[in-house]
């Protein structure tokens, strides 16, 4: 057998891997240290405020959906999570210092300086997009510019034009005030767009038509979005409205991990409060409100018995229901009673189960008792 094909693991292989991983962590520390600050304003990873950039290189984000200067909540929380895990693995103070700076920026910018709630608040969530590198102008859009097309072609001259969104007949209207709006009336498909310079757009339509048509276009001529400012990318790069937050739901899971690690590392109660609010936000954001057979933890602050949930009691001393603010689950207290039973469940009329389907039931009690779970297969479940 060829020795190169052997897969035997030597006794010290794992030790070598640990050494290698530590080397990688040190190299990443050196990289972040070198590219933290303002630098050349383009090739940075962390700015002076502790915000993470979306990309090291000066390139447009998501095909130009947001500015090259941007950072995102996903990037911020994942970088923070990595710094905390690196600190736990190495014990090096520089990783904890970096994590605390990242967490300060997370609260100050993404959470918009809103205090960590003492009680879980589902509205305490991070904004998803911010300027991490250099000041840039926000965008504007215009919906009713009359343009003369000749044989399906027109040249538009506007300062700092970045996009032509649509072309429609002179008597057609937009369904709503948006550059992406559908059209009431005749619209013309755009075959190609060419931008020979920052102030020119050449539009070619699919149809070889001549006449005055209405054009929807956008320009980079709005108010300045400063470094460390939040902004949004839809429908164009724009400043936030007062009290506006646009949350990327997937970032809540990373925020949860970050607050959990911060509480473990620092022991500060504020991170435990942040953890509880984030847990409530996740339950609220991912709440199933159109399910047939699911019984999900109810949303904190809402009616426990929503979405088809029911309770029934024939006990002489009825049970008491309340929601656990830590877990989100329904807690039931059964006072001592002489007779009767209590029921909780969710009804379903059209549920159908295959041979591989199942119901997972989780129950617990602080006292010893006998539990009986009954499935009425004849009247409740229909088989395939």
């Amino acid at each position: 057998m060829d020795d190169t094909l052997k897969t035997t693991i030597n006794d010290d292989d794992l030790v070598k891997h640990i050494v290698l991983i530590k080397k990688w962590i040190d190299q990443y520390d050196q990289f972040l240290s070198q590219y933290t600050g303002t630098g050349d304003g383009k090739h940075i990873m962390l700015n002076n405020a502790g915000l993470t950039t979306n990309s090291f290189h000066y390139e447009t984000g998501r095909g130009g959906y947001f500015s090259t200067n941007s950072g995102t909540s996903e990037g911020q929380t994942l970088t923070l999570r990595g710094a905390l895990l690196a600190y736990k693995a190495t014990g090096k103070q520089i990783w904890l210092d970096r994590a605390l700076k990242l967490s300060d920026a997370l609260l100050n910018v993404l959470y918009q300086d809103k205090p960590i709630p003492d009680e879980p608040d589902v509205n305490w969530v991070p904004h998803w997009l911010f300027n991490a590198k250099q000041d840039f102008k926000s965008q504007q859009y215009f919906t009713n510019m009359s343009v003369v097309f000749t044989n399906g072609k027109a040249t538009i001259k506007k300062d700092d034009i970045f996009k032509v969104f649509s072309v429609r007949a002179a008597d057609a209207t937009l369904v709503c005030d948006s550059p992406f709006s559908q059209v009431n009336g005749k619209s013309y498909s755009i075959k190609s767009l060419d931008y020979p310079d920052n102030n020119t757009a050449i539009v070619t339509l699919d149809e070889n038509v001549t006449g005055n048509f209405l054009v929807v276009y956008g320009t980079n001529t709005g108010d300045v979005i400063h470094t460390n400012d939040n902004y949004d990318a839809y429908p164009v790069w724009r400043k936030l409205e007062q009290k506006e937050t646009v949350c990327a739901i997937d970032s809540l899971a990373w925020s949860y991990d970050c607050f959990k690690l911060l509480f473990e590392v620092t022991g500060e109660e504020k991170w435990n409060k942040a953890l509880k609010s984030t847990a409530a936000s996740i339950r609220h954001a991912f709440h199933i409100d159109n399910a047939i057979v699911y019984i999900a933890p109810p949303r904190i602050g809402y009616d426990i018995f929503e979405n088809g949930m029911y309770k029934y009691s024939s006990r002489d001393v009825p049970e008491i229901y309340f929601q656990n603010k830590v877990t989100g689950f329904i807690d039931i207290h059964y006072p001592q009673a002489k007779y009767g039973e209590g029921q909780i469940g969710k009804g379903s009329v059209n549920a159908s189960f295959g041979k591989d389907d199942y119901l997972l039931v989780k129950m617990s009690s602080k006292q010893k008792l006998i539990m009986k779970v009954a499935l009425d297969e004849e009247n409740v479940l229909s088989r395939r």
Side-chain angles (χ1 to χ4, degrees):
M1 180 177 179
D2 189 344
D3 287 343
T4 61
L5 299 179
K6 291 181 179 179
T7 57
T8 304
I9 298 176
N10 298 319
D11 292 339
D12 62 346
D13 279 350
L14 293 178
V15 176
K16 289 180 180 177
H17 282 297
I18 292 173
V19 172
L20 182 60
I21 290 171
K22 287 184 176 179
K23 182 180 179 181
W24 290 341
I25 293 175
D26 288 340
Q27 289 174 340
Y28 192 45
D29 168 42
Q30 294 169 13
F31 173 74
L32 288 178
S33 296
Q34 181 177 351
Y35 293 105
T36 293
T38 55
D40 62 0
K42 296 181 178 180
H43 301 89
I44 60 175
M45 285 305 302
L46 301 175
N47 73 10
N48 286 327
L51 291 174
T52 306
T53 62
N54 178 67
S55 59
F56 173 70
H57 295 291
Y58 201 65
E59 56 191 15
T60 55
R62 299 185 189 176
Y65 181 56
F66 53 71
S67 168
T68 286
N69 300 288
S70 302
T72 66
S73 55
E74 293 93 330
Q76 186 73 17
T77 48
L78 283 171
T79 306
L80 171 56
R81 181 175 181 269
L84 289 165
L85 291 174
Y87 172 70
K88 291 188 69 175
T90 66
K92 292 186 176 180
Q93 185 66 32
I94 190 169
W95 283 110
L96 179 57
D97 292 342
R98 183 176 286 124
L100 294 178
K101 187 162 188 174
L102 286 161
S103 65
D104 284 344
L106 179 69
L107 296 180
N108 296 339
V109 179
L110 283 73
Y111 283 89
Q112 301 166 312
D113 280 326
K114 297 174 184 174
I116 298 173
D118 290 329
E119 295 293 331
D121 181 357
V122 298
N123 294 313
W124 191 74
V125 293
H127 183 70
W128 81 282
L129 187 65
F130 50 86
N131 177 11
K133 290 186 179 181
Q134 299 182 96
D135 294 357
F136 62 91
K137 287 187 176 181
S138 60
Q139 298 174 335
Q140 296 176 289
Y141 65 88
F142 306 89
T143 59
N144 295 300
M145 181 175 67
S146 180
V147 175
V148 177
F149 280 77
T150 302
N151 298 324
K153 194 170 184 178
T155 298
I156 299 173
K157 292 282 189 179
K158 285 294 177 182
D159 290 343
D160 218 350
I161 187 169
F162 73 89
K163 187 176 181 63
V164 173
F165 292 92
S166 65
V167 179
R168 67 186 191 276
D171 60 351
T173 59
L174 298 179
V175 173
C176 60
D177 181 19
S178 168
F180 300 103
S181 172
Q182 294 181 328
V183 175
N184 282 323
K186 174 65 177 177
S187 63
Y188 296 94
S189 297
I190 297 174
K191 183 178 182 180
S192 65
L193 287 167
D194 185 29
Y195 302 95
D197 58 59
N198 291 337
N199 305 312
T200 306
I202 300 174
V203 187
T204 303
L205 304 177
D206 276 335
E207 299 181 45
N208 188 19
V209 290
T210 298
N212 285 343
F213 305 134
L214 296 178
V215 172
V216 179
Y217 69 98
T219 59
N220 292 301
T221 54
D223 294 334
V224 173
I225 296 175
H226 298 284
T227 307
N228 304 330
D229 280 352
N230 290 306
Y231 78 101
D232 197 44
Y234 184 85
V236 293
W237 304 349
R238 61 178 178 83
K239 289 193 169 185
L240 296 184
E241 300 291 337
Q242 189 176 9
K243 297 183 178 180
E244 179 184 13
T245 299
V246 183
C247 179
I249 302 301
D250 55 339
S251 69
L252 291 177
W254 304 122
S255 296
Y256 183 91
D257 272 1
C258 289
F259 295 139
K260 183 178 180 181
L261 288 167
L262 282 164
F263 182 56
E264 291 175 2
V265 167
T266 68
E268 294 184 37
E269 181 58 26
K270 70 176 184 178
W271 300 123
N272 191 34
K273 292 179 180 179
L275 180 68
K276 291 178 180 178
S277 250
T278 304
S281 299
I282 291 173
R283 283 192 294 269
H284 182 82
F286 291 94
H287 184 72
I288 300 171
D289 58 7
N290 61 349
I292 298 176
V293 297
Y294 297 112
I295 299 178
R299 296 174 292 180
I300 288 181
Y302 285 72
D303 180 12
I304 292 176
F305 297 96
E306 61 178 350
N307 301 322
M309 291 286 292
Y310 72 87
K311 66 179 185 296
Y312 167 78
S313 179
S314 60
R315 293 164 50 90
D316 62 316
V317 183
E319 60 273 26
I320 302 169
Y321 297 86
F322 61 94
Q323 186 178 30
N324 188 308
K325 291 185 177 180
V326 176
T327 66
F329 296 138
I330 298 173
D331 284 354
I332 311 172
H333 174 60
Y334 291 92
Q336 186 173 355
K338 296 180 181 178
Y339 62 85
E341 65 177 29
Q343 296 181 7
I344 181 173
K346 181 166 183 175
S348 176
V349 177
N350 298 316
S352 179
F353 288 80
K355 66 177 183 178
D356 296 326
D357 294 333
Y358 64 92
L359 291 175
L360 175 64
V361 179
K362 291 185 178 182
M363 295 182 291
S364 64
S365 174
K366 294 181 179 179
Q367 300 180 13
K368 289 185 177 180
L369 75 165
I370 297 174
M371 287 187 177
K372 181 172 68 174
V373 179
L375 288 178
D376 186 348
E377 296 186 7
E378 296 299 325
N379 298 316
V380 178
L381 302 180
S382 62
R383 302 177 182 176
R384 286 188 287 179

